[in-house]
Amino acid sequence: MSSELAVLCLLLLHTGAHGFASFLLAITSVIFRNVRVDLRHALNGSFHFDDEMFVQGRRIIAEGVQAVKASNKQENFEAAREKLGEILHPLQDFYSHSNWVELGKKFPNSNLIRPDTSIGNLADISRATCRNCDGDDCTNNILEDVIAQGILTSGYFGIVPRVSTKPDGKCSHGGGVDQTSTIEPKGGINKDTFDSNHGHLHTAAANMAVAATGQLLDDVRGAAGDRAFLQMLGISKGSSKALCFVIDTTKSMSDDIETLSCSSTSFRGIVA
């Protein structure tokens, strides 16, 4: 089936409601650490792959993956969750802030989680990468030779008026806050939302980020083993049962999805 799938996992744990709450708490912790990156490292391009900081961003991810694995091995699952959330932020930002999607890539950049590997043909600091947007239309503002040669770039970002700058010819992140987007070449390339300069590629970037997240989690799981991996996710040591429903989310299933969305929470009360 080629349709988009959503997975609704309803945990039927020996610990009942307490076990489900533990799982939700663990996931919430990961999400909180992810979101916190925007607060603690808002202007550090390494954590967002801004300013063509690809080497630095990959280092944060690769070293973070090793830290997650080490914490799981030590059964320090809280530390593992915290670091996991922190490194998922730059991993996911890579696809919204770089031109990976614009280059026509169909799969995530798996080398982002692997140290000492090539993550792509990185733009030189002196290489021009963008032209001015055509008014509000930034669809084709990345230079054709950059696309043709598969050169990896990202937008520059700064919030201080009259101080924020970027090298000549470089793309900006874009958006009302980004002061570099008013410097030629004007505009931006981020895909953070549908309203972003490259918002027409938001869904593609988001889907790529989801796939990349899955790759990273698979890598962590492979190193930890199933039991430790589940413990990191708040599923207790004695838990051994999970019931998962795979739901077709195409429009033809809209009536069924509406029914499921209203009733799925009732399964939480089921205890094996």
Side-chain angles (χ1 to χ4, degrees), residues 155-191:
Y156 281 73
F157 180 79
I159 65 171
V160 183
R162 297 187 297 277
V163 173
S164 297
T165 187
K166 64 181 179 181
D168 292 342
K170 290 297 186 180
C171 303
S172 289
H173 175 84
V177 176
D178 178 22
Q179 299 299 309
T180 75
S181 66
T182 63
I183 302 172
E184 293 193 354
K186 299 178 180 180
I189 65 170
N190 89 80
K191 296 162 282 294

Side-chain angles (χ1 to χ4, degrees), residues 127-203:
R127 178 65 177 261
T129 53
C130 268
R131 64 167 62 88
N132 284 331
C133 293
D134 184 7
D136 293 331
D137 182 7
C138 295
T139 304
N140 297 309
N141 62 332
I142 298 178
L143 298 179
E144 287 83 0
D145 63 326
V146 170
I147 301 298
Q149 296 175 35
I151 296 174
L152 192 61
T153 185
S154 67
Y156 281 73
F157 180 79
I159 65 171
V160 183
R162 297 187 297 277
V163 173
S164 297
T165 187
K166 64 181 179 181
D168 292 342
K170 290 297 186 180
C171 303
S172 289
H173 175 84
V177 176
D178 178 22
Q179 299 299 309
T180 75
S181 66
T182 63
I183 302 172
E184 293 193 354
K186 299 178 180 180
I189 65 170
N190 89 80
K191 296 162 282 294
D192 288 337
T193 71
F194 288 112
D195 295 326
S196 299
N197 293 120
H198 277 205
H200 61 289
L201 295 173
H202 170 70
T203 297

Side-chain angles (χ1 to χ4, degrees), residues 43-46 48-54 56 97 125 153-158 165-167 170-173 178 180:
L43 301 181
N44 185 340
S46 302
H48 311 281
F49 283 101
D50 294 332
D51 305 346
E52 297 182 322
M53 300 186 76
F54 294 110
Q56 301 90 328
H97 295 185
I125 188 65
T153 185
S154 67
Y156 281 73
F157 180 79
T165 187
K166 64 181 179 181
K170 290 297 186 180
C171 303
S172 289
H173 175 84
D178 178 22
T180 75

